[in-house]
Amino acid sequence: MKQLLKVAILLGFSGAASMSQAACSFDIEVGDYLKFSAADMTVEKSCESITVNLKHTGQLPAKIMGHNWVLSQNAVVQAVATEGMSAGLAANYVPQGDARVVAFSKVIGGGETTSVTFSTSALTVGEGYTFFCSFPGHSYSMRGAFNVNA
Ligand code: ZN
């Protein structure tokens, strides 16, 4: 019974997701806590570009509980997050002009929204990517797998 329920939930969820948003565009929410509303993301290389819409549903300002959405290959996430801290809020906690950063949004606070659109030409099918928040201290819990399908 438990297993059936689980399958039903999974089916229901994927059905709802495919109706509400295309595979080339994603709506992700964050709040006054260290978590993205999406645990992982899967995109298709056939999309010309990917758009990520980030919405902060919390109350706290960006300098206290700011969040952004940054994409890098798995192996460099820690280095990018660490160097991003020194870059500071004005640079969205992202090293400037860094080729290891595939895409990033600006840092937003409660009540704000932002979005980032980037070409899929920089993405390799099957490569391991991670999306994360580079606000100091957030990347350990605010991260998820970013899969690229053909
Ligand atoms: Zn964050």
Side-chain angles (χ1 to χ4, degrees):
M1 183 58 199
K2 199 175 175 186
Q3 192 59 37
L4 276 175
L5 188 62
K6 199 173 172 185
V7 168
I9 289 169
L10 283 172
L11 286 173
F13 183 75
S14 62
S18 61
M19 275 192 292
S20 63
Q21 49 182 273
C24 306
S25 179
F26 298 83
D27 296 331
I28 295 183
E29 288 188 0
V30 289
D32 291 335
Y33 43 79
L34 307 189
K35 193 174 186 293
F36 284 110
S37 60
D40 53 65
M41 298 170 62
T42 298
V43 304
E44 292 171 16
K45 180 78 174 170
S46 58
C47 296
E48 266 183 41
S49 63
I50 305 293
T51 296
V52 176
N53 303 305
L54 188 67
K55 182 179 182 182
H56 194 318
T57 61
Q59 310 282 333
L60 297 171
K63 61 181 180 187
I64 306 289
M65 184 55 76
H67 299 301
N68 64 356
W69 187 95
V70 184
L71 182 66
S72 286
Q73 289 187 357
N74 293 344
V76 300
V77 167
Q78 216 46 63
V80 170
T82 302
E83 290 169 40
M85 273 187 228
S86 333
L89 177 57
N92 296 297
Y93 296 114
V94 173
Q96 303 247 327
D98 194 318
R100 296 172 301 174
V101 178
V102 179
F104 71 97
S105 79
K106 67 173 194 168
V107 173
I108 55 171
E112 296 180 311
T113 58
T114 189
S115 69
V116 54
T117 298
F118 56 100
S119 167
T120 55
S121 62
L123 300 173
T124 305
V125 174
E127 181 75 58
Y129 298 93
T130 296
F131 66 93
F132 60 100
C133 173
S134 66
F135 190 96
H138 289 198
S139 68
Y140 293 99
S141 38
M142 293 189 74
R143 63 165 66 193
F146 184 93
N147 310 302
V148 183
N149 289 346

